[in-house]
Amino acid sequence: MSETWVGKSLERVEDESLLRGLGRYADDLAVPAGTLHAAFIRSPVAHGIIRSIKTDNLPDDAVVVTGEDMLQLSRPFISGVKVDAPQYALAVDRVRYIGEPVALVLAANRYLAEDAADLIDVEYEQIPAVVDPEAAASGNAPKLHDGTDSNVLHEREFSYGDPGTAFATAAHVIETKIAYPRNSCTPIEGLNVLAHYLPGDDAYDVTANFQGPYTLHTVMARSLNVPGNRLRLKTPPDSGGSYGVKQAVFTYVVALGIASKIAGRPVKWVEDRLEHLSAATSSTNRVTTLKSAFGNHGKLLALDYDQLEDCGAYLKAPEPATLYRMHGNMTGAYAVEHLKIRNRVVVTNKTPTGLMRGFGGPQIYFPLERLMDLAAAQLGLDPIEIRRRNLVPSSAMPYRTASGALYDSGDYTGSLDRAAKEGGLQALVEKRKEARAAGRLYGIGCAAVVEPSISNMGYITTLLTPQQRERAGPKNGALATATVSFDPSGAITVNASSVPQGQGHRTVLAQVVADQLGVAPKSVVVTSDHDTTKDPWSISSGNYSSRFAGAVAGAAHLAAGRIRDRLARIAAADLNVTPDEVEFANGKVFAKSNPDNALPIVRPAAKAHWSPLSTPEDAGDGLRETEFWNMPELTEPDSEDRINSSGAHGFIFDFCGVEIDPETYEVRIDKYVTMHDAGTLLNPMLANGQIRGGFAHGLGAALLEKLDYGPDGSFITGTFADYLPPTACEIPHLTILHDCSPSPFTPLGAKGLGEGNCMSTPVCIANAVADALGKDIATLPLTRSNIATLMLEDEPAGRSQPQTPASPKATGDGHAMTGQGSTLVPATPEDLWAIMLDESKLAAVIPGCHSVKRTRDNAFSAEVTMGIGPVKGRFKVHMALSDLIEPKSLTLTGGATGPLGSSQGSGYVTLTPEADGTRVDYTYEARISGKVASVGGRMMDGAARTLINQFFARLSRQAGGQPPAQSPWTRLLEWLGLKS
Amino acid sequence: MRLLDADSRHTIRFQLNGKAVEGVAAPRMLATDFLREALGATGTHAGCEHGVCGACTIRLDGKAVRACLLYAVQLEGRNVQTVEGLAGHDEELSAMQTAFRKHHALQCGFCTPGILMSLSQLLEEEPGADEARIRDCLSGHICRCTGYHGIVAAALEVFEAHRRSGGESGRERTDV
Amino acid sequence: MKPAPFSYALPRTLDEALELLHEYGSEARILAGGQSLAAMLNMRLATPKVLIDIAELPELQTISRRCNHVEIGAGVTQAELMAWPELADTQPLLTMILPHVGHYQTRQRGTICGSLAHSDPSSELPLALALLQGEVVLRSKRATRTVAASDFQTALMTTDVGDDEMVVACRFPVADGNRQFGFREITQRHGDFAIVAIAAHSTENGVRLAAGGVADVPAAIDWPRLSDRDLSDALNDFAWQLGGNDDVHATARYRRDLVRRIGRTIALEVIDAPA
């Protein structure tokens, strides 16, 4: 019997090239002669009107593309919700988030393009921004889009079963409110686009590290104003990771496509890290109030979700899909009959969201699994026991959930019990007992999660009412495509529209096809690049919703089976047997009854090419088979809004023990166990690799990672020193267990498993931390500082007043910097007053001032070079003096903009005469946004203070010659005995 | 003294993986871009261009350093090793590369070249490194695919094998 | 993320470097390891006209132990100092902190003096300089001068180095054999900038302790041997004096709390340790 390959941990065929540095990633590929490189000009403000884009300083032949060009040459992107909130590839008239592309400029290389970008002068009129989703949804928030009634762009309510009665009669109603933050999986390779407009064909030839879903091909083609066959989209053979994120490249395909059309040249762009972190994409942040009705014995009767989804500044396709991807499995792993959901989607002045590993999962499981712990505590049950009592029983499989998902297979209780036993839960419980007896902070957490995979292309239409769906026509299915062919030498090539991003699809497809055809996997060549013009594909193609193992590998299995059947007919004639007697193994075809009656498989395969007239008629011509596989279970939403949102559903049960350092509040993961039932494992080593990768992302989300904004919308996590993916020192040991309940709905019984730990791990760790601290946890990440905010009691007062009053806010409230100070200037108040109101003297006082102009009464504009240490930039400053009480006090308001960023602020200054001069007291509030805030958030307060000190030092010098003796800083140094 | 004008391109000569190479670059050209674009050595990847992610790590006179924080002009006269030099064209993969494949220490492979360069120095200089030291060295790299498990397993196996075979040099320093 | 144009100078002698600095002044930046500067250049936060690369200048490559201090040339990398066999005997605190400075890869390029010149409020070497009351040697074409740690770092990322001056060396005192040293830093991830870093050593009659990551520059303070209660009060006052800011990584409140807690642990550790 032939060796079989599926289920074996084969080493990857991909690795030989990658380990030698011979990968073919997007930026490694050759570009056409004459290719120009693009640099983007991006908004430094969160919300503003674009007043002007001045390009006077650029050379005449420079190509600059703006939103105006997009308006002329492209159409806005379509999204799942029909609202008048258009998004173009470049901002039109108004910017709505930091990093929004406003213009792009082309040059011979990226260096020169960035030089040119620095010369483009964009004038913005800042308008109030809104960052918090609840604030944005309230009536008096600044509105992002003029064409909509409010920032809430979508709202729908759903009811399944009879939640009203269930809640009214429940023994216990338990509620939690969760604010799930933004994070991103941040592939190390950024987005890449090479776009070439071909005027002769009115077509776009694009290479981009796009990952799908290919529904977006339609979105791009429509935006470029061409039919789909005139947007040829090619993806490179290798991708530097995606985890959903590279879906975000699609808006840039349009920007670069239009730029190529304008320039008449191919154009290329490689996203850099700051661009990526600030503007590529993000998970949605979501505020959820989850109510539950429990019966007396811990039976979960009903759930009521109120979800407020923050999609950022625009609903970028396929959003608001994050909100609906889990719609069928909102009851998680539990058998719950009654379910109520209210979904709202709100826009805020943040980066538009999109695909992200776990897509929608962490946002629902965080509240649901936190709630199970809260309920356990309230009902006096063990957290594991309360879950056990509510898990969907294996006898109910396949199980139809209240909202319509069809859970295919699994023994959830069995898996939970096995995990607890084999993972050593009891030992952890003992350990916790001992640790607590010793006064240590030790906690145990768990989470039970259903991991959906193979998204139904119709799930997003659940957001429409049944009547709207009726009018729009049904959307359903999840077509997967794979092609297997024999060439004239009898060699096998496989192509699938799975657009791998590093998972090892080539290896697994070779295993799958090898099994069908009885050959060694290494003899099968699998291509990984994709070309929409030449390769089979459909809208559901691509690398997302963990659809590879269940759908794509299944399609390859079926395609290989079809070609095998045809080959059997050809071989049967030569072997002198009937086709059903032909077997395939060890690179041979042979007669079942007599294995010595054999031929190398290449013989019948070559025959099909070299002498097609000699092959049986029923073998057909051309040895190439393409399978378009679909799942009949993936129907469109029914008239009662029930939707089987995914084709397969795996089960995960996680538990962990954590210990928290009582001094620093560092969370140390003592042990982490994850049990997966994802059906058949095609390659266990690769499956575990996916689990470990998902776990690392989940752990990052739990403990470290947050895309963070100030209240003014300034983005403050623009580097990998601010946005913190875990390193090898932060990832603990992971124990992986597997159960196997093959899916009855996929060809190989496989289900997706790469996203599950992004759903289970954040809440599992949060539950453990909550257990350790005895505190509720309602948001992430659980950084040391955020835990400190939960734990620290009133701060002891100091004997002396702090120099800079620290605001009581927790981190994440961002960068409204406030400060105050006092300095003694050797001049009279009148002299100082005269300086401050005289533009010629002011020029000498303002650090790095090139010129000051009076624009109107007591209002000035200036050109200033400002900076700290080596960081320097030129800014346009405008300021106005008001509340003038001569020579006693005034208010100064103003702002600065330049390539480094933008700031706005105000200060109140009082002048008090003293024996040897004037005491100047000041308080200020400043907000800084743009590049400096994104990359230097750690130092913004200090920088503001330093600049203000520079100002007063110069003021003193201008007024009387002596530098101020009493800057706050020198006072501290004196106090510390460092300065006399 | 060499004074290289900002607006001109200058000839740069150095040893790349044991072979003399030459190219021209303006002073501001990053070593990453120079290796990739001027010399076609695209195995060195740019992941953050601010020295944190480690994808661009190369060995400069034997030391693993960030190529994104180096300028091409600084390579003049130096000995540069990149991932392409770990195993020659017609050579088998190195022990570390082989162990990476065996332990599934890479998925997308984008961060891998830099990691291999750091580990190659550590293995040469500190074959006695324990898991904590290996993780400390790896903490200068960000991998988003693997959760580092396979990377650490591969490194431990190779360090252990290297120790058992007595290492290649007498420079063993187990105390660091 | 590509740097703006700059000219690149590779002087062969220190005098050549100083001559260049004299000529270009504030338009030039000294490039040693470049582990902070190059990142700022790439982001165009800094756009000097000329980079003067001193990394290989032969005059700057030495680590020399004098009678009461060790002098470290501006070309000496962090990894080189770590590997210096006499380090543990000369100045144990540096042995403690150096593994926390950046990462394996950045320490092989990044220099000791470069870290001091960059003066990041959270970095370890300026903290060590402040605690140990080291010195920085500055040179220009005109003169050489030595600046005490307390005068060197004047504000956030701002030092006393003049436009035509460069750091040519720094000096750390040789440790008195009776002193006990302690160091601990709290970071988000291994190798990150410190949220708070505390270093301390015992003194004849008490303890000297320094904190980084809280105020705009690291600050050190001396205390006599204090009662338990007085030590707590002193640390609380110190924490309030340092103030601290809320930023993306931590609240000022948490930072002050760490000064109190970690400060106490480290202070007691160095006071109580057997000599």
Side-chain angles (χ1 to χ4, degrees), chain A residues 46 96-98 130-133 136 144 182 278 282-283 285 310-314 346-353 707-710 713 715:
Chain A
R96 295 178 174 87
Y97 63 97
I98 300 269
V130 62
V131 172
D132 177 70
L144 271 79
R182 293 189 150 217
S278 65
S282 162
S283 67
N285 54 299
D310 179 353
C311 284
Y314 301 91
V346 68
V347 285
T348 60
N349 292 106
K350 302 200 289 288
T351 298
T353 59
L707 291 165
D708 213 350
Y709 289 82
F715 176 70

Side-chain angles (χ1 to χ4, degrees), chain B residues 81-92:
Chain B
Q81 288 165 278
T82 62
V83 66
E84 289 94 339
L86 291 176
H89 279 306
D90 41 8
E91 288 170 24
E92 297 280 299

Side-chain angles (χ1 to χ4, degrees), chain A residues 247-534:
Chain A
Q247 165 253 333
V249 79
F250 85 89
T251 60
Y252 293 103
V253 169
V254 172
L256 276 281
I258 297 296
S260 173
K261 188 173 191 174
I262 291 170
R265 298 267 286 271
V267 295
K268 179 175 172 173
W269 169 71
V270 178
E271 181 188 53
D272 69 32
R273 185 53 52 188
L274 175 56
E275 291 182 293
H276 185 85
L277 286 170
S278 65
T281 189
S282 162
S283 67
T284 61
N285 54 299
R286 187 183 297 178
V287 178
T288 303
T289 302
L290 176 59
K291 264 198 310 203
S292 59
F294 275 88
N296 269 328
H297 303 286
K299 174 69 190 155
L300 176 56
L301 304 169
L303 289 167
D304 179 353
Y305 284 89
D306 188 341
Q307 306 190 97
L308 180 62
E309 179 87 323
D310 179 353
C311 284
Y314 301 91
L315 275 187
K316 186 167 76 171
E319 295 289 23
T322 313
L323 190 55
Y324 283 92
R325 187 229 183 161
M326 313 295 283
H327 197 84
N329 54 284
M330 295 294 284
T331 45
Y334 309 115
V336 182
E337 272 178 65
H338 311 291
L339 172 66
K340 199 172 159 216
I341 301 167
R342 178 197 188 204
N343 281 342
R344 286 179 297 159
V345 173
V346 68
V347 285
T348 60
N349 292 106
K350 302 200 289 288
T351 298
T353 59
L355 266 61
M356 197 65 62
R357 192 177 202 166
F359 202 52
Q363 290 92 335
I364 71 152
Y365 287 121
F366 197 93
L368 180 57
E369 291 299 289
R370 277 298 299 135
L371 185 101
M372 293 306 279
D373 269 21
L374 295 173
Q378 193 166 325
L379 305 183
L381 288 169
D382 180 81
I384 295 199
E385 181 53 29
I386 197 169
R387 286 173 170 85
R388 262 185 125 265
R389 289 185 190 182
N390 288 292
L391 290 172
V392 175
S394 60
S395 59
M397 294 292 173
Y399 172 82
R400 182 72 70 179
T401 67
S403 49
L406 187 61
Y407 290 177
D408 36 351
S409 59
D411 175 4
Y412 298 176
T413 317
S415 293
L416 182 149
D417 290 343
R418 223 195 106 205
K421 186 155 174 271
E422 292 177 28
L425 178 65
Q426 195 49 42
L428 276 195
V429 172
E430 293 302 319
K431 203 164 179 179
R432 175 173 64 185
K433 201 188 282 174
E434 283 167 30
R436 286 188 177 171
R440 283 150 51 203
L441 298 172
Y442 195 100
I444 297 173
C446 68
V449 154
V450 164
E451 175 180 6
S453 53
I454 315 172
S455 282
N456 182 342
M457 297 316 289
Y459 79 71
I460 188 69
T461 61
T462 316
L463 66 82
L464 302 173
T465 63
Q467 297 72 30
Q468 288 169 324
R469 282 199 296 269
E470 187 78 20
R471 283 197 296 275
K475 295 205 170 46
N476 55 42
L479 278 175
T481 318
T483 302
V484 180
S485 60
F486 280 87
D487 67 21
S489 75
I492 304 160
T493 304
V494 179
N495 161 275
S497 54
S498 70
V499 202
Q501 307 290 318
Q503 299 96 330
H505 293 181
R506 289 174 59 202
T507 302
V508 176
L509 290 176
Q511 287 176 263
V512 167
V513 171
D515 271 359
Q516 285 283 53
L517 297 172
V519 298
K522 64 172 189 275
S523 70
V524 178
V525 167
V526 183
T527 60
S528 50
D529 47 349
H530 193 265
D531 179 337
T532 55
T533 303
K534 293 186 163 178

Side-chain angles (χ1 to χ4, degrees), chain A residues 114 663-664 793 795 799-800, chain C residues 1 237 241 253-254 265:
Chain A
E114 290 193 19
E663 220 171 30
T664 64
E793 287 160 9
E795 187 169 16
R799 270 179 298 192
S800 49
Chain C
M1 210 186 269
D237 280 340
Q241 284 298 329
R253 166 81 169 91
Y254 176 58
T265 308

